[in-house]
Amino acid sequence: MAVVTPPVPAPARTTSPARRPRSLLPLNLVSVAAGVGLWWALAAAGLQFPTPAEVAVQAGRMAADGTLLDDAVASLLRVLTGFVLGSAAAIVVGFLMGWYAVARGLFEPWIQFFRTIPPLAMLPLVLVLLGIDETPKVFVIFLAAFLSCVISTYQGVVSVERTLINAARVLGAGDATVFARVVVPASTPFILVGMRVGLGAAWATLVAAELLAAQEGLGHRMQTAQLYYDLPTIFVGIVSIGVLGLLMDRALLLGGNRLTRWQETR
């Protein structure tokens, strides 16, 4: 007589601590507090730093007379314009390079060539060719964002698993459907990483871009303050650029998380 062994219940699935969702906000607050405390300690130790209180007072003065708002808006518009145009162009060129071998052969040498040239090195040429209005400032930021994002987009397209593309073709999908339903979603995480890097490059280029005969902007204000050794104003500009860049990066990250909900997270 055969003995029937009762089925062994599967072990309860446990959630790894690394996968357990948790808020990083307390750690962020601790990190910020520690950074401000270190800044205060360095200023108290005799380094030529203004204290956080002095910077806050100067920021209040600049906010009261409207200088800080005008400069922040001017810089933000330049960065947004250059970043949006640069990212859009990078996505188009990156998809073309990844999808068509002909486009890859035509574009890749020039992209690699210009990637070795810092965008700031283009300032004299841009100034001569485009004048001293807003166009050269936006163009330099555009170039920084484009070169930072295009390679990531291209890498995303060529990294799409061939199995997914073949499976879509077996199911009868044409090139357009494969591109829209397989390649674009699979490349989105790479594109978002490239855009975040491009956003950082855009803000990093801002101060130099505003050297081109700018009348307002955070970079322009910092350059003017340098002439008078006005350290609190310089620090106000640094903190403002950092805060605006951080907020834009968080917004981009939040939008990216919504677009890639399907992606497995770790």
Side-chain angles (χ1 to χ4, degrees):
M1 181 177 178
V3 178
V4 179
T5 304
V8 179
R13 183 175 298 176
T14 59
T15 303
S16 170
R19 294 177 180 269
R20 211 173 280 158
R22 56 184 178 182
S23 174
L24 296 179
L25 182 59
L27 292 177
N28 295 154
L29 295 177
V30 170
S31 177
V32 171
V36 173
L38 177 62
W39 173 8
W40 214 310
L42 291 175
L47 294 181
Q48 294 183 345
F49 284 176
T51 64
E54 293 172 341
V55 173
V57 170
Q58 180 63 14
R61 294 196 191 103
M62 295 173 65
D65 61 17
T67 302
L68 183 58
L69 179 61
D70 292 342
D71 289 339
V73 169
S75 295
L76 189 59
L77 288 177
R78 289 170 184 142
V79 169
L80 275 176
T81 304
F83 169 70
V84 170
L85 294 177
S87 298
I91 291 172
V92 173
V93 174
F95 273 131
L96 289 174
M97 289 174 56
W99 194 246
Y100 298 107
V102 174
R104 187 184 314 168
L106 292 174
F107 292 136
E108 189 172 19
W110 290 105
I111 290 175
Q112 296 298 339
F113 172 78
F114 281 105
R115 284 182 68 235
T116 62
I117 303 175
L120 302 184
M122 304 291 291
L123 284 176
L125 179 62
V126 170
L127 183 62
V128 171
L129 295 179
L130 300 180
I132 59 174
D133 58 1
E134 288 297 305
T135 304
K137 304 175 186 62
V138 172
F139 178 79
V140 173
I141 297 173
F142 160 86
L143 193 61
F146 172 82
L147 294 174
S148 299
C149 185
V150 65
I151 295 299
S152 182
T153 303
Y154 160 72
Q155 192 62 42
V157 176
V158 299
S159 297
V160 177
E161 292 186 19
R162 182 59 56 179
T163 305
L164 299 177
I165 297 177
N166 293 337
R169 293 192 187 281
V170 168
L171 295 174
D175 285 347
T177 303
V178 170
F179 184 79
R181 297 295 185 89
V182 178
V183 176
V184 172
S187 305
T188 299
F190 290 84
I191 296 172
L192 293 171
V193 170
M195 291 179 67
R196 293 182 67 189
V197 175
L199 179 62
W203 278 107
T205 312
L206 172 71
V207 175
E210 290 183 340
L211 288 175
L212 301 177
Q215 299 300 317
E216 58 183 356
L218 295 171
H220 165 72
R221 193 66 53 192
M222 292 167 64
Q223 294 293 331
T224 303
Q226 176 190 3
L227 300 176
Y228 301 100
Y229 207 70
D230 186 0
L231 289 179
T233 300
I234 294 175
F235 270 73
V236 169
I238 293 173
V239 173
S240 299
I241 290 175
V243 170
L244 290 174
L246 178 61
L247 292 177
M248 290 180 65
D249 180 79
R250 295 298 97 177
L252 188 60
L253 183 61
L254 179 61
N257 289 338
R258 291 182 178 275
L259 289 175
T260 58
R261 290 176 179 175
W262 52 268
Q263 188 181 20
E264 182 181 358
T265 56
R266 294 181 180 180

